[in-house]
Amino acid sequence: MKVTLVQMNSVSDKAQNVADAKRLMEQAIAQERSDWLMLPEHFDWAGGKTADKVAQSEAVPGGPAYEMCRTVARENRVWVHAGSLLERIPGANRIYNTTAVFNRDGREVARYRKIHLFDITGPDGTEYNESATMRPGSEIVTYDCEGVTVGCAICYDLRFPELFQELARRGAKVIALPASFTLQTGKDHWEVLCRARAIETETYFLASGQWGTFKAGDGTTRHTYGHSLIVDPWGHVVAKASDGVGTISARLDLARVDRMRAQIPVAQHKVIGADGTLKPRPAQAAE
């Protein structure tokens, strides 16, 4: 299974962003013969005020970003994990931050809406208030990709390990995380967290990021970190993007996941349940 991650510098120009995403995917398909491709978080729009984001959101299905990804998947016979786009909620003044996934026929097989919203204050005092624009999702999502279970997450979800533990419990051998990490947090936390999630879950962890600058609604310039990563179940970074727009690719040895889980059977050794209670160990149960 050959995967490609697309690193973009999306701005407040939807038509240009969609065209860039299409060009980068088709270039990778031609050069890498990829089976599965992933775009970054909000590949279709970055920046602007809340009203701008709502205005640029689209119907799912049916919007231009959604339809472009579906067409690329169908015409090229590839899987497209469409990063995230701005999904309109009819009659609401907030929108969803949504991943849509398409199989080789261009059929939507999964839709994930970001659960954890980025309401934080950065090290320089910059405030981020994603919940002013976005409504949180409420469903944990996996999908079957030709016999391989893929788990879905988006950006800030990365800081909440219980989500990834649940994805692994549901059978995920690959976890996909489109993101738009800030430069300030990304330089210190991005790779550490991606590698930790891969090690903890013993999965391939695929993380595609936005890189570069865009204008926020208050007129300030925001910087995103990029450095898209492909991490194996041992926590090794097997591919990493440099600064700039582009793609990275790698072949996944999915048998490696099974070998890792046999050697270090973390899932079998869990004694603390999701409810926080300590489960009896086998020896205790026998007594």
Side-chain angles (χ1 to χ4, degrees):
M1 179 177 178
K2 190 167 191 180
V3 301
T4 292
L5 310 188
V6 178
Q7 184 163 286
M8 294 180 61
N9 180 200
S10 298
V11 293
S12 301
D13 184 336
K14 184 161 183 166
Q16 184 61 56
N17 295 334
V18 172
D20 286 345
K22 182 175 186 291
R23 174 181 55 81
L24 287 163
M25 285 196 290
E26 291 182 338
Q27 178 178 297
I29 292 164
Q31 294 178 351
E32 301 290 344
R33 298 179 181 236
S34 309
D35 298 298
W36 182 100
L37 300 96
M38 179 166 67
L39 295 166
E41 184 183 22
H42 53 66
F43 73 89
D44 60 332
W45 179 269
K49 299 179 180 179
T50 294
D52 300 323
K53 292 185 175 75
V54 173
Q56 293 298 325
S57 65
E58 63 181 67
V60 174
Y66 179 100
E67 292 301 328
M68 179 276 292
C69 291
R70 177 157 66 178
T71 299
V72 168
R74 184 182 65 248
E75 292 185 350
N76 295 280
R77 304 294 298 167
V78 296
W79 287 74
V80 174
H81 189 107
S84 80
L85 52 82
L86 307 181
E87 180 188 359
R88 183 177 305 141
I89 305 172
N93 58 7
R94 288 194 296 169
I95 58 182
Y96 286 125
N97 189 347
T98 300
T99 294
V101 183
F102 304 94
N103 67 11
R104 296 182 193 269
D105 297 322
R107 180 173 62 86
E108 183 185 325
V109 297
R111 191 182 303 177
Y112 170 71
R113 293 166 175 140
K114 187 177 181 181
I115 292 173
H116 301 97
L117 299 184
F118 193 57
D119 292 352
I120 69 113
T121 301
D124 65 351
T126 300
E127 294 186 356
Y128 298 84
N129 187 19
E130 189 176 20
S131 64
T133 305
M134 304 292 178
R135 181 183 292 180
S138 58
E139 295 184 12
I140 296 171
V141 175
T142 65
Y143 63 92
D144 180 84
C145 176
E146 298 174 356
V148 178
T149 300
V150 180
C152 298
I154 298 174
C155 201
Y156 189 50
D157 286 334
L158 181 61
R159 294 183 181 272
F160 300 89
E162 58 273 19
L163 169 60
F164 300 93
Q165 293 294 318
E166 179 59 22
L167 291 172
R169 191 188 71 78
R170 296 186 184 197
K173 291 187 176 182
V174 175
I175 293 175
L177 180 113
S180 180
F181 248 61
T182 71
L183 176 61
Q184 292 182 75
T185 57
K187 64 185 178 62
D188 295 324
H189 298 167
W190 170 249
E191 183 169 326
V192 175
L193 288 169
C194 289
R195 293 181 67 191
R197 297 294 89 86
I199 294 166
E200 292 166 352
T201 57
E202 299 180 313
T203 60
Y204 275 97
F205 199 90
L206 315 180
S208 58
Q210 291 279 358
W211 172 88
T213 63
F214 64 89
K215 290 291 184 182
D218 60 4
T220 60
T221 299
R222 300 282 174 88
H223 300 262
T224 50
Y225 182 63
H227 293 80
S228 302
L229 297 171
I230 299 173
V231 187
D232 76 8
W234 190 254
H236 288 159
V237 176
V238 297
K240 181 178 180 179
S242 299
D243 290 339
V245 170
T247 63
I248 58 170
S249 300
R251 288 196 178 276
L252 306 188
D253 176 9
L254 294 164
R256 184 167 172 77
V257 176
D258 297 327
R259 291 195 298 271
M260 275 291 310
R261 292 177 176 180
Q263 292 167 359
I264 307 178
V266 173
Q268 297 175 35
H269 293 163
K270 290 183 186 297
V271 295
I272 300 176
D275 60 358
T277 60
L278 193 66
K279 298 177 181 179
R281 293 176 174 84
Q284 293 172 323
E287 294 172 356

